[in-house]
């Protein structure tokens, strides 16, 4: 696989602490990644042959609009959520009282970005900053995520229509912050899952990047260690929706485990390849 990185992308990779090694034209390709335990990790990206099914056309896409102004106190059922257009879904999340997290939250965090993007990034749950601002990934982990996305030509502020970076939609498995940033509980993940499912149906992404074990748990129903799931393509299946999923490390984990940034970069490249092939 040719990386074809331009100067900007190389600068971005340097920014997230990844130095890309590419073989000389006449040099033999290495057989294994060369990994160093420091942040400037040289990596070799192996070509991966990925065969996936085509994703349904985007004829059902909805443009995001302002939420309707008449909140309902009764929590909507799964069938109701499954039929909601984007504004009603936003409203349902904003007024959700289905679990105890509603008592401690400042804001719900629905998502950010282009709701018609080919890329969907799914994280874990809002942290303190996200809870205060009502936007996912605005803290240190968010900065790293933005740099990672920038390195492959994506930005949360972009749309698919522009010539510059491509759009991405970013959301979480949980729409409310667990107190003290504790791990999401199984019941909370289950309660919030219909919201994420409907977001996926409406966005109709070509590729989902699942960041961290709770995203993986929600999307794939797997509790296998992340290290065993990354490096190959999975599928999110729900009703008629089937979307390829690439699993990678959570940015907060990467901030604490710098050498694994090289693996995260390989995951991004795999996701980009799957999206291009789709
Ligand atoms: N971590 C997440 O998984 N999501 C956020 O929005 C912020 C931090």
């Amino acid at each position: 696989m040719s990386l074809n990185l331009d100067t900007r992308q190389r600068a971005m990779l340097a920014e997230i602490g990844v130095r890309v090694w590419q073989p000389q034209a006449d040099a033999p390709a290495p057989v294994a990644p060369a990994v160093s335990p420091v942040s400037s990790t040289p990596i070799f990206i192996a070509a991966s042959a990925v065969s996936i099914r085509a994703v349904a056309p985007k004829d059902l896409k909805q443009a995001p609009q302002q939420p309707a102004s008449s909140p309902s106190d009764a929590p909507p059922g799964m069938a109701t959520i499954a039929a909601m257009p984007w504004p009603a879904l936003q409203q349902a999340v904003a007024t959700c009282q289905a679990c105890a997290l509603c008592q401690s939250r400042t804001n719900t965090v629905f998502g950010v970005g282009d709701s018609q993007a080919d890329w969907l990034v799914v994280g874990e749950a809002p942290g303190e900053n996200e809870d205060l601002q009502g936007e996912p990934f605005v803290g240190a982990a968010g900065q790293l995520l933005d740099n990672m996305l920038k390195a492959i030509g994506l930005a949360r502020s972009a749309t698919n229509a522009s010539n510059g970076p491509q759009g991405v939609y970013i959301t979480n498995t949980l729409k409310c912050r667990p107190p003290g940033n504790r791990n999401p509980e199984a019941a909370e993940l289950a309660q919030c899952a219909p919201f994420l499912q409907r977001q996926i149906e409406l966005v109709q992404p070509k590729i989902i990047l699942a960041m961290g074990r709770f995203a993986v748990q929600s999307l794939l129903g797997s509790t296998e260690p992340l290290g065993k799931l990354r490096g190959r393509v999975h599928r999110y299946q729900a009703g008629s929706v089937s979307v390829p999923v690439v699993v990678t490390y959570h940015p907060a984990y990467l901030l604490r485990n710098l050498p694994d940034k090289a693996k995260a970069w390989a995951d991004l490249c795999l996701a980009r390849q799957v999206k291009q092939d789709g």
Side-chain angles (χ1 to χ4, degrees):
M1 177 173 67
S2 166
L3 288 178
N4 290 331
L5 298 175
D6 61 25
T7 312
R8 181 182 58 79
Q9 287 169 321
R10 285 182 180 282
M12 281 307 110
L13 287 174
E15 203 167 325
I16 67 170
V18 172
R19 185 158 57 87
V20 179
W21 182 90
Q22 280 185 293
Q24 299 299 309
D26 55 353
V31 291
V35 177
S36 118
V38 292
S39 61
S40 60
T41 310
I43 55 171
F44 171 70
I45 312 295
S48 56
V50 181
S51 161
I52 57 165
R53 215 150 39 86
V55 175
K58 298 197 164 191
D59 51 359
L60 294 176
K61 288 212 160 189
Q62 312 261 345
Q65 298 164 17
Q66 291 308 307
S69 58
S70 56
S72 156
D73 286 344
M78 276 177 70
T80 311
I81 293 172
M84 282 178 174
W86 194 264
L89 190 64
Q90 284 179 310
Q91 180 69 8
V93 167
T95 56
C96 182
Q97 300 188 0
C99 78
L101 295 185
C102 70
Q103 289 157 16
S104 50
R105 74 181 177 220
T106 310
N107 288 295
T108 56
V109 180
F110 185 76
V112 70
D114 177 7
S115 66
Q116 305 206 347
D118 289 341
W119 286 76
L120 179 70
V121 172
V122 180
E124 179 180 310
E128 184 180 14
N129 293 317
E130 291 77 17
D131 174 68
L132 291 173
Q133 295 184 39
E135 181 171 329
F137 285 104
V138 291
Q143 265 177 13
L144 176 57
L145 174 62
D146 283 345
N147 287 342
M148 290 167 70
L149 295 175
K150 202 168 172 188
I152 53 165
L154 304 172
R156 68 172 79 195
S157 56
T159 68
N160 277 355
S162 67
N163 286 332
Q166 291 289 290
V168 58
Y169 196 78
I170 303 172
T171 190
N172 285 308
T173 55
L174 291 191
K175 310 306 186 201
C176 295
R177 180 192 181 202
N181 295 350
R182 65 157 167 76
N183 286 340
E185 290 173 0
E188 292 160 355
L189 290 170
Q191 199 71 54
C192 242
F195 292 134
L196 179 60
Q197 180 174 335
R198 188 61 183 150
Q199 283 179 307
I200 295 171
E201 284 167 357
L202 292 171
V203 174
Q204 294 185 45
K206 291 191 174 143
I207 181 73
I208 298 176
L209 195 60
M211 303 194 105
R213 71 182 165 114
F214 293 104
V216 168
Q217 213 168 300
S218 269
L219 293 166
L220 303 178
S222 171
T223 52
E224 266 202 90
L226 209 126
K228 287 197 173 166
L229 294 169
R230 52 168 299 279
R232 57 199 161 98
V233 182
H234 306 267
R235 287 207 88 90
Y236 172 81
Q237 305 269 7
S240 60
V241 173
S242 174
V243 187
V245 176
V246 168
V247 167
T248 194
Y249 295 111
H250 192 281
Y253 165 87
L254 293 174
L255 288 173
R256 301 187 303 268
N257 297 273
L258 299 181
D260 280 340
K261 282 182 179 176
K263 293 181 188 164
W265 171 241
D267 297 334
L268 284 180
C269 290
L270 173 61
R272 181 174 58 179
Q273 190 65 51
V274 173
K275 190 254 164 190
Q276 279 166 5
D277 291 349

